[in-house]
Amino acid sequence: MRAAVLREAGRLVVEEVPRPEPEPGELLVRVRDCGICGSDLHAAHTLSPGTVMGHEFAGEVAALGPGVSGWRVGEPVVALPYMSCGGCVACRAGDGIRCAAVRSIGLGELPGAYAEYVRVQPASCLRIPERVGFRAAALVEPLAVALHGVRMAPVKAGTSCLVVGAGPIGLTTLLWCRDAGAAVVVSEPAEGRAALARRLGAAATVHPGREHAGSRLQALTGRDPEVVFECVGVRGTLNDALAQAGVRATVVVLGVCLGRTRSSPAWPS
Ligand SMILES: [Zn+2]
Ligand SMILES: [Zn+2]
């Protein structure tokens, strides 16, 4: 099969590699669509040569490993990008990401979906409903990240929310906040992304260099930000998020900052 293999920092090469076989308890999925995560752009400079990335994918069941039942070849699926032991307390509670033996898919441990086929485990697969295409289904993983963050906060009808950054994670966070009935201001310097945030239901967008986003939210809702979502993940943005938060606010960190960053929690501005 073909796969885009990381050959050196920042360079992927499409190569012919052996088609994987599903091991006992696994499914083999034929990849139909795979997103390029913002984290991949950073990880392409840190992961080892030979890595196949890709953790936001949808496809069809291509083969069942020994001992697997309840699935049939051709079924459209999305899968969470990890495999876990299946037997520990975390796995039995359906929380395999906290398994001590968890292995990521597409982030250096198990091969990812920048390839024609990828191995997954049935416990982390969901069938794709008929009305959802593969391309949209490949967004399930980033949508799940954002939904997790919104549930952690939590966000309720009327909660005043500030989303810092309108990349894919910021925009999906905005969607779930709107779904919960929250008022959302998005802080984003790029006008194209800001326009998309307004189309997806942001009450307002602000340019972080020109305007204090928390003040705009206060003007719109009468309240300082009750929840701030950090959805950028570069140096300094966590401190910016802290600086916008109101008294007793919750700051949810969804951006993955791979470098060292400084924050001053008590007096961040
Ligand atoms: Zn990702
Ligand atoms: Zn486990």
Side-chain angles (χ1 to χ4, degrees), residues 150 153-156 158-164 173 177-178 182-186 213 217 221 223-229:
V150 168
V155 171
K156 305 190 197 89
T159 302
S160 63
C161 296
L162 171 61
V163 174
V164 180
T173 299
C177 286
R178 294 290 300 136
V184 189
V185 165
V186 175
L217 195 56
T221 66
R223 276 163 297 141
D224 287 329
E226 293 165 303
V227 182
V228 182
F229 295 94

Side-chain angles (χ1 to χ4, degrees), residues 84-91 96 99-101:
S84 57
C85 82
C88 70
V89 173
C91 285
C99 172

Side-chain angles (χ1 to χ4, degrees), residues 139-155 168-169 171-177 179-180 229 252 254:
L139 287 169
V140 164
E141 197 271 350
L143 278 162
V145 168
L147 179 59
H148 176 63
V150 168
R151 283 180 175 163
M152 294 272 287
V155 171
I169 293 298
L171 292 172
T172 46
T173 299
L174 163 65
L175 284 175
W176 290 118
C177 286
D179 186 62
F229 295 94
V252 179
L254 291 172

